[in-house]
PDB file of all heavy atoms in Angstrom:
ATOM      1  N   GLY A   1     135.059 151.365 105.451  1.00  0.00           N
ATOM      2  CA  GLY A   1     134.106 150.383 104.972  1.00  0.00           C
ATOM      3  C   GLY A   1     134.528 149.704 103.688  1.00  0.00           C
ATOM      4  O   GLY A   1     133.802 148.854 103.172  1.00  0.00           O
ATOM      5  N   GLY A   2     135.714 150.046 103.174  1.00  0.00           N
ATOM      6  CA  GLY A   2     136.158 149.529 101.896  1.00  0.00           C
ATOM      7  C   GLY A   2     136.809 148.159 101.929  1.00  0.00           C
ATOM      8  O   GLY A   2     137.034 147.564 100.873  1.00  0.00           O
ATOM      9  N   SER A   3     137.129 147.658 103.108  1.00  0.00           N
ATOM     10  CA  SER A   3     137.771 146.358 103.232  1.00  0.00           C
ATOM     11  C   SER A   3     137.087 145.553 104.325  1.00  0.00           C
ATOM     12  O   SER A   3     136.698 146.108 105.354  1.00  0.00           O
ATOM     13  CB  SER A   3     139.258 146.529 103.556  1.00  0.00           C
ATOM     14  OG  SER A   3     139.915 145.285 103.635  1.00  0.00           O
ATOM     15  N   THR A   4     136.923 144.242 104.095  1.00  0.00           N
ATOM     16  CA  THR A   4     136.279 143.361 105.069  1.00  0.00           C
ATOM     17  C   THR A   4     137.056 142.072 105.231  1.00  0.00           C
ATOM     18  O   THR A   4     137.850 141.690 104.370  1.00  0.00           O
ATOM     19  CB  THR A   4     134.837 143.028 104.665  1.00  0.00           C
ATOM     20  OG1 THR A   4     134.844 142.399 103.376  1.00  0.00           O
ATOM     21  CG2 THR A   4     133.982 144.283 104.605  1.00  0.00           C
ATOM     22  N   SER A   5     136.814 141.388 106.345  1.00  0.00           N
ATOM     23  CA  SER A   5     137.424 140.104 106.621  1.00  0.00           C
ATOM     24  C   SER A   5     136.396 139.221 107.318  1.00  0.00           C
ATOM     25  O   SER A   5     135.625 139.708 108.150  1.00  0.00           O
ATOM     26  CB  SER A   5     138.664 140.276 107.508  1.00  0.00           C
ATOM     27  OG  SER A   5     139.284 139.034 107.784  1.00  0.00           O
ATOM     28  N   TYR A   6     136.376 137.910 106.982  1.00  0.00           N
ATOM     29  CA  TYR A   6     135.411 136.981 107.545  1.00  0.00           C
ATOM     30  C   TYR A   6     136.071 135.671 107.940  1.00  0.00           C
ATOM     31  O   TYR A   6     137.024 135.221 107.297  1.00  0.00           O
ATOM     32  CB  TYR A   6     134.307 136.643 106.543  1.00  0.00           C
ATOM     33  CG  TYR A   6     133.503 137.823 106.059  1.00  0.00           C
ATOM     34  CD1 TYR A   6     133.878 138.523 104.919  1.00  0.00           C
ATOM     35  CD2 TYR A   6     132.358 138.224 106.742  1.00  0.00           C
ATOM     36  CE1 TYR A   6     133.137 139.599 104.468  1.00  0.00           C
ATOM     37  CE2 TYR A   6     131.610 139.303 106.297  1.00  0.00           C
ATOM     38  CZ  TYR A   6     132.005 139.991 105.158  1.00  0.00           C
ATOM     39  OH  TYR A   6     131.259 141.063 104.715  1.00  0.00           O
ATOM     40  N   VAL A   7     135.533 135.042 108.965  1.00  0.00           N
ATOM     41  CA  VAL A   7     135.936 133.679 109.272  1.00  0.00           C
ATOM     42  C   VAL A   7     135.371 132.779 108.168  1.00  0.00           C
ATOM     43  O   VAL A   7     134.302 133.061 107.611  1.00  0.00           O
ATOM     44  CB  VAL A   7     135.425 133.247 110.664  1.00  0.00           C
ATOM     45  CG1 VAL A   7     133.909 133.161 110.693  1.00  0.00           C
ATOM     46  CG2 VAL A   7     136.060 131.941 111.095  1.00  0.00           C
ATOM     47  N   ASP A   8     136.096 131.718 107.818  1.00  0.00           N
ATOM     48  CA  ASP A   8     135.712 130.880 106.684  1.00  0.00           C
ATOM     49  C   ASP A   8     134.282 130.343 106.781  1.00  0.00           C
ATOM     50  O   ASP A   8     133.585 130.234 105.763  1.00  0.00           O
ATOM     51  CB  ASP A   8     136.681 129.708 106.543  1.00  0.00           C
ATOM     52  CG  ASP A   8     138.029 130.121 106.004  1.00  0.00           C
ATOM     53  OD1 ASP A   8     138.157 131.247 105.495  1.00  0.00           O
ATOM     54  OD2 ASP A   8     138.967 129.298 106.086  1.00  0.00           O
ATOM     55  N   SER A   9     133.830 130.016 107.974  1.00  0.00           N
ATOM     56  CA  SER A   9     132.532 129.384 108.143  1.00  0.00           C
ATOM     57  C   SER A   9     131.342 130.280 107.793  1.00  0.00           C
ATOM     58  O   SER A   9     130.234 129.779 107.615  1.00  0.00           O
ATOM     59  CB  SER A   9     132.376 128.870 109.576  1.00  0.00           C
ATOM     60  OG  SER A   9     132.447 129.928 110.509  1.00  0.00           O
ATOM     61  N   VAL A  10     131.551 131.592 107.680  1.00  0.00           N
ATOM     62  CA  VAL A  10     130.448 132.496 107.365  1.00  0.00           C
ATOM     63  C   VAL A  10     130.597 133.173 106.008  1.00  0.00           C
ATOM     64  O   VAL A  10     129.694 133.907 105.595  1.00  0.00           O
ATOM     65  CB  VAL A  10     130.244 133.573 108.453  1.00  0.00           C
ATOM     66  CG1 VAL A  10     130.149 132.928 109.829  1.00  0.00           C
ATOM     67  CG2 VAL A  10     131.357 134.616 108.413  1.00  0.00           C
ATOM     68  N   LYS A  11     131.687 132.933 105.299  1.00  0.00           N
ATOM     69  CA  LYS A  11     131.900 133.557 103.995  1.00  0.00           C
ATOM     70  C   LYS A  11     130.785 133.179 103.025  1.00  0.00           C
ATOM     71  O   LYS A  11     130.409 132.020 102.916  1.00  0.00           O
ATOM     72  CB  LYS A  11     133.255 133.142 103.420  1.00  0.00           C
ATOM     73  CG  LYS A  11     134.445 133.780 104.118  1.00  0.00           C
ATOM     74  CD  LYS A  11     135.758 133.342 103.482  1.00  0.00           C
ATOM     75  CE  LYS A  11     136.946 134.005 104.162  1.00  0.00           C
ATOM     76  NZ  LYS A  11     138.231 133.547 103.596  1.00  0.00           N
ATOM     77  N   GLY A  12     130.256 134.176 102.348  1.00  0.00           N
ATOM     78  CA  GLY A  12     129.169 133.952 101.415  1.00  0.00           C
ATOM     79  C   GLY A  12     127.799 134.005 102.049  1.00  0.00           C
ATOM     80  O   GLY A  12     126.792 134.046 101.335  1.00  0.00           O
ATOM     81  N   ARG A  13     127.731 133.991 103.377  1.00  0.00           N
ATOM     82  CA  ARG A  13     126.455 134.030 104.090  1.00  0.00           C
ATOM     83  C   ARG A  13     126.266 135.315 104.890  1.00  0.00           C
ATOM     84  O   ARG A  13     125.157 135.841 104.975  1.00  0.00           O
ATOM     85  CB  ARG A  13     126.326 132.835 105.038  1.00  0.00           C
ATOM     86  CG  ARG A  13     126.389 131.485 104.334  1.00  0.00           C
ATOM     87  CD  ARG A  13     126.032 130.354 105.287  1.00  0.00           C
ATOM     88  NE  ARG A  13     126.977 130.261 106.403  1.00  0.00           N
ATOM     89  CZ  ARG A  13     126.638 130.375 107.685  1.00  0.00           C
ATOM     90  NH1 ARG A  13     125.368 130.589 108.027  1.00  0.00           N
ATOM     91  NH2 ARG A  13     127.561 130.260 108.634  1.00  0.00           N
ATOM     92  N   PHE A  14     127.344 135.812 105.499  1.00  0.00           N
ATOM     93  CA  PHE A  14     127.280 137.016 106.326  1.00  0.00           C
ATOM     94  C   PHE A  14     127.934 138.183 105.605  1.00  0.00           C
ATOM     95  O   PHE A  14     128.897 138.006 104.855  1.00  0.00           O
ATOM     96  CB  PHE A  14     128.010 136.814 107.651  1.00  0.00           C
ATOM     97  CG  PHE A  14     127.360 135.849 108.608  1.00  0.00           C
ATOM     98  CD1 PHE A  14     126.286 135.065 108.239  1.00  0.00           C
ATOM     99  CD2 PHE A  14     127.855 135.733 109.901  1.00  0.00           C
ATOM    100  CE1 PHE A  14     125.700 134.177 109.122  1.00  0.00           C
ATOM    101  CE2 PHE A  14     127.280 134.852 110.805  1.00  0.00           C
ATOM    102  CZ  PHE A  14     126.203 134.073 110.416  1.00  0.00           C
ATOM    103  N   THR A  15     127.449 139.391 105.865  1.00  0.00           N
ATOM    104  CA  THR A  15     128.029 140.607 105.312  1.00  0.00           C
ATOM    105  C   THR A  15     128.131 141.664 106.402  1.00  0.00           C
ATOM    106  O   THR A  15     127.127 142.008 107.029  1.00  0.00           O
ATOM    107  CB  THR A  15     127.194 141.160 104.150  1.00  0.00           C
ATOM    108  OG1 THR A  15     127.070 140.174 103.124  1.00  0.00           O
ATOM    109  CG2 THR A  15     127.860 142.402 103.568  1.00  0.00           C
ATOM    110  N   ILE A  16     129.346 142.171 106.622  1.00  0.00           N
ATOM    111  CA  ILE A  16     129.540 143.258 107.569  1.00  0.00           C
ATOM    112  C   ILE A  16     129.594 144.570 106.798  1.00  0.00           C
ATOM    113  O   ILE A  16     130.152 144.643 105.702  1.00  0.00           O
ATOM    114  CB  ILE A  16     130.826 143.058 108.408  1.00  0.00           C
ATOM    115  CG1 ILE A  16     130.923 144.121 109.512  1.00  0.00           C
ATOM    116  CG2 ILE A  16     132.074 143.063 107.534  1.00  0.00           C
ATOM    117  CD1 ILE A  16     132.053 143.868 110.507  1.00  0.00           C
ATOM    118  N   SER A  17     129.006 145.609 107.351  1.00  0.00           N
ATOM    119  CA  SER A  17     129.023 146.924 106.724  1.00  0.00           C
ATOM    120  C   SER A  17     128.930 147.991 107.810  1.00  0.00           C
ATOM    121  O   SER A  17     128.648 147.686 108.969  1.00  0.00           O
ATOM    122  CB  SER A  17     127.875 147.070 105.720  1.00  0.00           C
ATOM    123  OG  SER A  17     126.623 146.955 106.365  1.00  0.00           O
ATOM    124  N   ARG A  18     129.164 149.235 107.430  1.00  0.00           N
ATOM    125  CA  ARG A  18     129.070 150.315 108.406  1.00  0.00           C
ATOM    126  C   ARG A  18     128.530 151.574 107.757  1.00  0.00           C
ATOM    127  O   ARG A  18     128.701 151.800 106.558  1.00  0.00           O
ATOM    128  CB  ARG A  18     130.434 150.592 109.053  1.00  0.00           C
ATOM    129  CG  ARG A  18     131.477 151.164 108.103  1.00  0.00           C
ATOM    130  CD  ARG A  18     132.874 151.112 108.726  1.00  0.00           C
ATOM    131  NE  ARG A  18     132.974 151.946 109.913  1.00  0.00           N
ATOM    132  CZ  ARG A  18     133.934 151.844 110.837  1.00  0.00           C
ATOM    133  NH1 ARG A  18     134.875 150.906 110.701  1.00  0.00           N
ATOM    134  NH2 ARG A  18     133.953 152.658 111.881  1.00  0.00           N
ATOM    135  N   ASP A  19     127.892 152.389 108.562  1.00  0.00           N
ATOM    136  CA  ASP A  19     127.387 153.687 108.144  1.00  0.00           C
ATOM    137  C   ASP A  19     127.973 154.693 109.121  1.00  0.00           C
ATOM    138  O   ASP A  19     127.469 154.864 110.230  1.00  0.00           O
ATOM    139  CB  ASP A  19     125.861 153.720 108.162  1.00  0.00           C
ATOM    140  CG  ASP A  19     125.293 155.000 107.585  1.00  0.00           C
ATOM    141  OD1 ASP A  19     126.009 156.024 107.557  1.00  0.00           O
ATOM    142  OD2 ASP A  19     124.125 154.989 107.160  1.00  0.00           O
ATOM    143  N   ASN A  20     129.067 155.338 108.716  1.00  0.00           N
ATOM    144  CA  ASN A  20     129.761 156.253 109.618  1.00  0.00           C
ATOM    145  C   ASN A  20     128.917 157.483 109.979  1.00  0.00           C
ATOM    146  O   ASN A  20     129.090 158.058 111.050  1.00  0.00           O
ATOM    147  CB  ASN A  20     131.094 156.685 109.010  1.00  0.00           C
ATOM    148  CG  ASN A  20     132.125 155.568 109.039  1.00  0.00           C
ATOM    149  OD1 ASN A  20     131.976 154.585 109.762  1.00  0.00           O
ATOM    150  ND2 ASN A  20     133.181 155.717 108.251  1.00  0.00           N
ATOM    151  N   ALA A  21     128.016 157.880 109.097  1.00  0.00           N
ATOM    152  CA  ALA A  21     127.140 159.013 109.384  1.00  0.00           C
ATOM    153  C   ALA A  21     126.171 158.689 110.514  1.00  0.00           C
ATOM    154  O   ALA A  21     125.717 159.584 111.227  1.00  0.00           O
ATOM    155  CB  ALA A  21     126.374 159.429 108.142  1.00  0.00           C
ATOM    156  N   LYS A  22     125.848 157.393 110.685  1.00  0.00           N
ATOM    157  CA  LYS A  22     124.935 156.954 111.730  1.00  0.00           C
ATOM    158  C   LYS A  22     125.649 156.306 112.909  1.00  0.00           C
ATOM    159  O   LYS A  22     125.001 155.835 113.846  1.00  0.00           O
ATOM    160  CB  LYS A  22     123.911 155.972 111.160  1.00  0.00           C
ATOM    161  CG  LYS A  22     122.993 156.572 110.108  1.00  0.00           C
ATOM    162  CD  LYS A  22     121.983 155.550 109.627  1.00  0.00           C
ATOM    163  CE  LYS A  22     121.035 156.164 108.611  1.00  0.00           C
ATOM    164  NZ  LYS A  22     120.037 155.172 108.132  1.00  0.00           N
ATOM    165  N   ASN A  23     126.984 156.265 112.872  1.00  0.00           N
ATOM    166  CA  ASN A  23     127.782 155.636 113.936  1.00  0.00           C
ATOM    167  C   ASN A  23     127.311 154.211 114.216  1.00  0.00           C
ATOM    168  O   ASN A  23     127.176 153.792 115.373  1.00  0.00           O
ATOM    169  CB  ASN A  23     127.721 156.466 115.221  1.00  0.00           C
ATOM    170  CG  ASN A  23     128.583 157.709 115.161  1.00  0.00           C
ATOM    171  OD1 ASN A  23     129.039 158.121 114.098  1.00  0.00           O
ATOM    172  ND2 ASN A  23     128.806 158.326 116.309  1.00  0.00           N
ATOM    173  N   THR A  24     127.080 153.453 113.151  1.00  0.00           N
ATOM    174  CA  THR A  24     126.513 152.119 113.286  1.00  0.00           C
ATOM    175  C   THR A  24     127.223 151.116 112.391  1.00  0.00           C
ATOM    176  O   THR A  24     127.544 151.423 111.240  1.00  0.00           O
ATOM    177  CB  THR A  24     125.015 152.125 112.946  1.00  0.00           C
ATOM    178  OG1 THR A  24     124.342 153.057 113.808  1.00  0.00           O
ATOM    179  CG2 THR A  24     124.405 150.748 113.146  1.00  0.00           C
ATOM    180  N   VAL A  25     127.473 149.918 112.917  1.00  0.00           N
ATOM    181  CA  VAL A  25     128.003 148.810 112.138  1.00  0.00           C
ATOM    182  C   VAL A  25     126.941 147.714 112.116  1.00  0.00           C
ATOM    183  O   VAL A  25     126.209 147.529 113.090  1.00  0.00           O
ATOM    184  CB  VAL A  25     129.347 148.293 112.702  1.00  0.00           C
ATOM    185  CG1 VAL A  25     129.178 147.744 114.118  1.00  0.00           C
ATOM    186  CG2 VAL A  25     129.949 147.237 111.784  1.00  0.00           C
ATOM    187  N   TYR A  26     126.836 146.994 110.984  1.00  0.00           N
ATOM    188  CA  TYR A  26     125.816 145.979 110.800  1.00  0.00           C
ATOM    189  C   TYR A  26     126.430 144.619 110.487  1.00  0.00           C
ATOM    190  O   TYR A  26     127.545 144.516 109.980  1.00  0.00           O
ATOM    191  CB  TYR A  26     124.891 146.348 109.638  1.00  0.00           C
ATOM    192  CG  TYR A  26     124.263 147.711 109.749  1.00  0.00           C
ATOM    193  CD1 TYR A  26     124.841 148.815 109.124  1.00  0.00           C
ATOM    194  CD2 TYR A  26     123.090 147.893 110.473  1.00  0.00           C
ATOM    195  CE1 TYR A  26     124.264 150.069 109.222  1.00  0.00           C
ATOM    196  CE2 TYR A  26     122.507 149.146 110.572  1.00  0.00           C
ATOM    197  CZ  TYR A  26     123.095 150.234 109.948  1.00  0.00           C
ATOM    198  OH  TYR A  26     122.524 151.475 110.047  1.00  0.00           O
ATOM    199  N   LEU A  27     125.685 143.576 110.778  1.00  0.00           N
ATOM    200  CA  LEU A  27     126.039 142.234 110.351  1.00  0.00           C
ATOM    201  C   LEU A  27     124.784 141.596 109.772  1.00  0.00           C
ATOM    202  O   LEU A  27     123.872 141.235 110.514  1.00  0.00           O
ATOM    203  CB  LEU A  27     126.580 141.389 111.506  1.00  0.00           C
ATOM    204  CG  LEU A  27     127.100 140.009 111.109  1.00  0.00           C
ATOM    205  CD1 LEU A  27     128.361 140.139 110.247  1.00  0.00           C
ATOM    206  CD2 LEU A  27     127.389 139.156 112.335  1.00  0.00           C
ATOM    207  N   GLN A  28     124.731 141.498 108.444  1.00  0.00           N
ATOM    208  CA  GLN A  28     123.629 140.837 107.768  1.00  0.00           C
ATOM    209  C   GLN A  28     123.930 139.352 107.731  1.00  0.00           C
ATOM    210  O   GLN A  28     124.947 138.935 107.181  1.00  0.00           O
ATOM    211  CB  GLN A  28     123.460 141.383 106.347  1.00  0.00           C
ATOM    212  CG  GLN A  28     122.342 140.724 105.551  1.00  0.00           C
ATOM    213  CD  GLN A  28     120.976 141.003 106.123  1.00  0.00           C
ATOM    214  OE1 GLN A  28     120.646 142.158 106.414  1.00  0.00           O
ATOM    215  NE2 GLN A  28     120.177 139.963 106.306  1.00  0.00           N
ATOM    216  N   MET A  29     123.044 138.543 108.301  1.00  0.00           N
ATOM    217  CA  MET A  29     123.253 137.107 108.431  1.00  0.00           C
ATOM    218  C   MET A  29     122.190 136.370 107.624  1.00  0.00           C
ATOM    219  O   MET A  29     121.006 136.414 107.961  1.00  0.00           O
ATOM    220  CB  MET A  29     123.182 136.694 109.902  1.00  0.00           C
ATOM    221  CG  MET A  29     124.075 137.540 110.807  1.00  0.00           C
ATOM    222  SD  MET A  29     123.677 137.358 112.575  1.00  0.00           S
ATOM    223  CE  MET A  29     124.231 135.690 112.864  1.00  0.00           C
ATOM    224  N   ASN A  30     122.610 135.706 106.554  1.00  0.00           N
ATOM    225  CA  ASN A  30     121.706 134.942 105.699  1.00  0.00           C
ATOM    226  C   ASN A  30     122.041 133.456 105.773  1.00  0.00           C
ATOM    227  O   ASN A  30     123.125 133.072 106.189  1.00  0.00           O
ATOM    228  CB  ASN A  30     121.807 135.415 104.253  1.00  0.00           C
ATOM    229  CG  ASN A  30     121.418 136.854 104.066  1.00  0.00           C
ATOM    230  OD1 ASN A  30     120.544 137.373 104.763  1.00  0.00           O
ATOM    231  ND2 ASN A  30     122.051 137.527 103.103  1.00  0.00           N
ATOM    232  N   SER A  31     121.102 132.628 105.334  1.00  0.00           N
ATOM    233  CA  SER A  31     121.285 131.174 105.321  1.00  0.00           C
ATOM    234  C   SER A  31     121.801 130.670 106.663  1.00  0.00           C
ATOM    235  O   SER A  31     122.755 129.889 106.731  1.00  0.00           O
ATOM    236  CB  SER A  31     122.248 130.777 104.188  1.00  0.00           C
ATOM    237  OG  SER A  31     121.757 131.193 102.934  1.00  0.00           O
ATOM    238  N   LEU A  32     121.165 131.095 107.724  1.00  0.00           N
ATOM    239  CA  LEU A  32     121.618 130.761 109.069  1.00  0.00           C
ATOM    240  C   LEU A  32     121.540 129.268 109.347  1.00  0.00           C
ATOM    241  O   LEU A  32     120.620 128.590 108.896  1.00  0.00           O
ATOM    242  CB  LEU A  32     120.808 131.533 110.103  1.00  0.00           C
ATOM    243  CG  LEU A  32     121.214 133.004 110.237  1.00  0.00           C
ATOM    244  CD1 LEU A  32     120.125 133.795 110.935  1.00  0.00           C
ATOM    245  CD2 LEU A  32     122.532 133.109 111.002  1.00  0.00           C
ATOM    246  N   LYS A  33     122.521 128.789 110.105  1.00  0.00           N
ATOM    247  CA  LYS A  33     122.626 127.387 110.486  1.00  0.00           C
ATOM    248  C   LYS A  33     122.579 127.260 112.002  1.00  0.00           C
ATOM    249  O   LYS A  33     122.932 128.198 112.706  1.00  0.00           O
ATOM    250  CB  LYS A  33     123.946 126.795 109.974  1.00  0.00           C
ATOM    251  CG  LYS A  33     124.171 126.936 108.480  1.00  0.00           C
ATOM    252  CD  LYS A  33     125.557 126.438 108.098  1.00  0.00           C
ATOM    253  CE  LYS A  33     125.799 126.567 106.608  1.00  0.00           C
ATOM    254  NZ  LYS A  33     127.161 126.090 106.228  1.00  0.00           N
ATOM    255  N   PRO A  34     122.166 126.098 112.532  1.00  0.00           N
ATOM    256  CA  PRO A  34     122.151 125.919 113.985  1.00  0.00           C
ATOM    257  C   PRO A  34     123.500 126.207 114.642  1.00  0.00           C
ATOM    258  O   PRO A  34     123.537 126.719 115.769  1.00  0.00           O
ATOM    259  CB  PRO A  34     121.750 124.448 114.153  1.00  0.00           C
ATOM    260  CG  PRO A  34     120.895 124.182 112.969  1.00  0.00           C
ATOM    261  CD  PRO A  34     121.557 124.947 111.842  1.00  0.00           C
ATOM    262  N   GLU A  35     124.601 125.917 113.961  1.00  0.00           N
ATOM    263  CA  GLU A  35     125.919 126.175 114.519  1.00  0.00           C
ATOM    264  C   GLU A  35     126.269 127.657 114.612  1.00  0.00           C
ATOM    265  O   GLU A  35     127.291 128.023 115.184  1.00  0.00           O
ATOM    266  CB  GLU A  35     127.018 125.432 113.734  1.00  0.00           C
ATOM    267  CG  GLU A  35     126.972 125.661 112.235  1.00  0.00           C
ATOM    268  CD  GLU A  35     126.262 124.545 111.493  1.00  0.00           C
ATOM    269  OE1 GLU A  35     125.179 124.118 111.954  1.00  0.00           O
ATOM    270  OE2 GLU A  35     126.783 124.090 110.453  1.00  0.00           O
ATOM    271  N   ASP A  36     125.422 128.527 114.057  1.00  0.00           N
ATOM    272  CA  ASP A  36     125.603 129.967 114.212  1.00  0.00           C
ATOM    273  C   ASP A  36     125.059 130.467 115.544  1.00  0.00           C
ATOM    274  O   ASP A  36     125.257 131.634 115.893  1.00  0.00           O
ATOM    275  CB  ASP A  36     124.908 130.726 113.081  1.00  0.00           C
ATOM    276  CG  ASP A  36     125.534 130.454 111.721  1.00  0.00           C
ATOM    277  OD1 ASP A  36     126.775 130.412 111.633  1.00  0.00           O
ATOM    278  OD2 ASP A  36     124.771 130.301 110.748  1.00  0.00           O
ATOM    279  N   THR A  37     124.367 129.613 116.281  1.00  0.00           N
ATOM    280  CA  THR A  37     123.792 129.989 117.571  1.00  0.00           C
ATOM    281  C   THR A  37     124.882 130.416 118.546  1.00  0.00           C
ATOM    282  O   THR A  37     125.827 129.674 118.799  1.00  0.00           O
ATOM    283  CB  THR A  37     122.991 128.829 118.161  1.00  0.00           C
ATOM    284  OG1 THR A  37     121.867 128.545 117.320  1.00  0.00           O
ATOM    285  CG2 THR A  37     122.483 129.174 119.559  1.00  0.00           C
ATOM    286  N   ALA A  38     124.758 131.626 119.089  1.00  0.00           N
ATOM    287  CA  ALA A  38     125.755 132.177 119.998  1.00  0.00           C
ATOM    288  C   ALA A  38     125.313 133.564 120.442  1.00  0.00           C
ATOM    289  O   ALA A  38     124.357 134.125 119.908  1.00  0.00           O
ATOM    290  CB  ALA A  38     127.124 132.277 119.310  1.00  0.00           C
ATOM    291  N   VAL A  39     126.030 134.113 121.418  1.00  0.00           N
ATOM    292  CA  VAL A  39     125.904 135.527 121.737  1.00  0.00           C
ATOM    293  C   VAL A  39     126.862 136.266 120.819  1.00  0.00           C
ATOM    294  O   VAL A  39     128.044 135.921 120.745  1.00  0.00           O
ATOM    295  CB  VAL A  39     126.238 135.826 123.212  1.00  0.00           C
ATOM    296  CG1 VAL A  39     126.203 137.331 123.470  1.00  0.00           C
ATOM    297  CG2 VAL A  39     125.257 135.110 124.134  1.00  0.00           C
ATOM    298  N   TYR A  40     126.374 137.268 120.120  1.00  0.00           N
ATOM    299  CA  TYR A  40     127.181 138.033 119.182  1.00  0.00           C
ATOM    300  C   TYR A  40     127.570 139.373 119.797  1.00  0.00           C
ATOM    301  O   TYR A  40     126.725 140.101 120.321  1.00  0.00           O
ATOM    302  CB  TYR A  40     126.419 138.256 117.875  1.00  0.00           C
ATOM    303  CG  TYR A  40     126.417 137.036 116.994  1.00  0.00           C
ATOM    304  CD1 TYR A  40     125.681 135.908 117.356  1.00  0.00           C
ATOM    305  CD2 TYR A  40     127.163 137.001 115.812  1.00  0.00           C
ATOM    306  CE1 TYR A  40     125.696 134.766 116.568  1.00  0.00           C
ATOM    307  CE2 TYR A  40     127.173 135.864 115.021  1.00  0.00           C
ATOM    308  CZ  TYR A  40     126.440 134.751 115.401  1.00  0.00           C
ATOM    309  OH  TYR A  40     126.455 133.625 114.611  1.00  0.00           O
ATOM    310  N   TYR A  41     128.867 139.687 119.729  1.00  0.00           N
ATOM    311  CA  TYR A  41     129.415 140.904 120.319  1.00  0.00           C
ATOM    312  C   TYR A  41     129.994 141.827 119.249  1.00  0.00           C
ATOM    313  O   TYR A  41     130.681 141.377 118.336  1.00  0.00           O
ATOM    314  CB  TYR A  41     130.532 140.575 121.309  1.00  0.00           C
ATOM    315  CG  TYR A  41     130.102 139.770 122.505  1.00  0.00           C
ATOM    316  CD1 TYR A  41     130.156 138.383 122.484  1.00  0.00           C
ATOM    317  CD2 TYR A  41     129.656 140.399 123.657  1.00  0.00           C
ATOM    318  CE1 TYR A  41     129.766 137.636 123.588  1.00  0.00           C
ATOM    319  CE2 TYR A  41     129.271 139.663 124.764  1.00  0.00           C
ATOM    320  CZ  TYR A  41     129.328 138.281 124.722  1.00  0.00           C
ATOM    321  OH  TYR A  41     128.949 137.544 125.816  1.00  0.00           O
ATOM    322  N   CYS A  42     129.755 143.095 119.419  1.00  0.00           N
ATOM    323  CA  CYS A  42     130.356 144.142 118.594  1.00  0.00           C
ATOM    324  C   CYS A  42     131.606 144.652 119.305  1.00  0.00           C
ATOM    325  O   CYS A  42     131.628 144.751 120.540  1.00  0.00           O
ATOM    326  CB  CYS A  42     129.337 145.266 118.407  1.00  0.00           C
ATOM    327  SG  CYS A  42     129.936 146.716 117.538  1.00  0.00           S
ATOM    328  N   ALA A  43     132.663 144.976 118.558  1.00  0.00           N
ATOM    329  CA  ALA A  43     133.907 145.453 119.153  1.00  0.00           C
ATOM    330  C   ALA A  43     134.563 146.527 118.284  1.00  0.00           C
ATOM    331  O   ALA A  43     134.371 146.558 117.065  1.00  0.00           O
ATOM    332  CB  ALA A  43     134.880 144.290 119.352  1.00  0.00           C
ATOM    333  N   ALA A  44     135.354 147.400 118.926  1.00  0.00           N
ATOM    334  CA  ALA A  44     136.040 148.498 118.241  1.00  0.00           C
ATOM    335  C   ALA A  44     137.531 148.478 118.548  1.00  0.00           C
ATOM    336  O   ALA A  44     137.934 148.272 119.695  1.00  0.00           O
ATOM    337  CB  ALA A  44     135.438 149.840 118.660  1.00  0.00           C
ATOM    338  N   ASP A  45     138.351 148.699 117.520  1.00  0.00           N
ATOM    339  CA  ASP A  45     139.804 148.735 117.633  1.00  0.00           C
ATOM    340  C   ASP A  45     140.280 150.168 117.459  1.00  0.00           C
ATOM    341  O   ASP A  45     140.168 150.731 116.367  1.00  0.00           O
ATOM    342  CB  ASP A  45     140.432 147.820 116.581  1.00  0.00           C
ATOM    343  CG  ASP A  45     141.947 147.930 116.506  1.00  0.00           C
ATOM    344  OD1 ASP A  45     142.567 148.411 117.473  1.00  0.00           O
ATOM    345  OD2 ASP A  45     142.510 147.522 115.471  1.00  0.00           O
TER     346      ASP A  45
END
């Protein structure tokens, strides 16, 4: 959880974080715009 990466269009608005004790990853989305409309998918590497 110590390093993050974002696409330029969401920098400053979205925040990704994780809680390994809860096996959960989050995406906090603020200042949402119509162009953010989409299906959002979670993925693991």
Side-chain angles (χ1 to χ4, degrees):
S3 182
T4 59
S5 180
Y6 300 91
V7 66
D8 287 346
S9 61
V10 309
K11 288 181 179 178
R13 300 189 298 120
F14 291 9
T15 302
I16 187 171
S17 62
R18 67 193 296 162
D19 186 337
N20 287 343
K22 296 182 178 180
N23 284 14
T24 302
V25 62
Y26 306 95
L27 186 67
Q28 179 66 49
M29 309 165 70
N30 298 327
S31 301
L32 283 163
K33 304 175 180 180
E35 51 262 45
D36 294 318
T37 295
V39 175
Y40 282 70
Y41 297 91
C42 175
D45 173 20

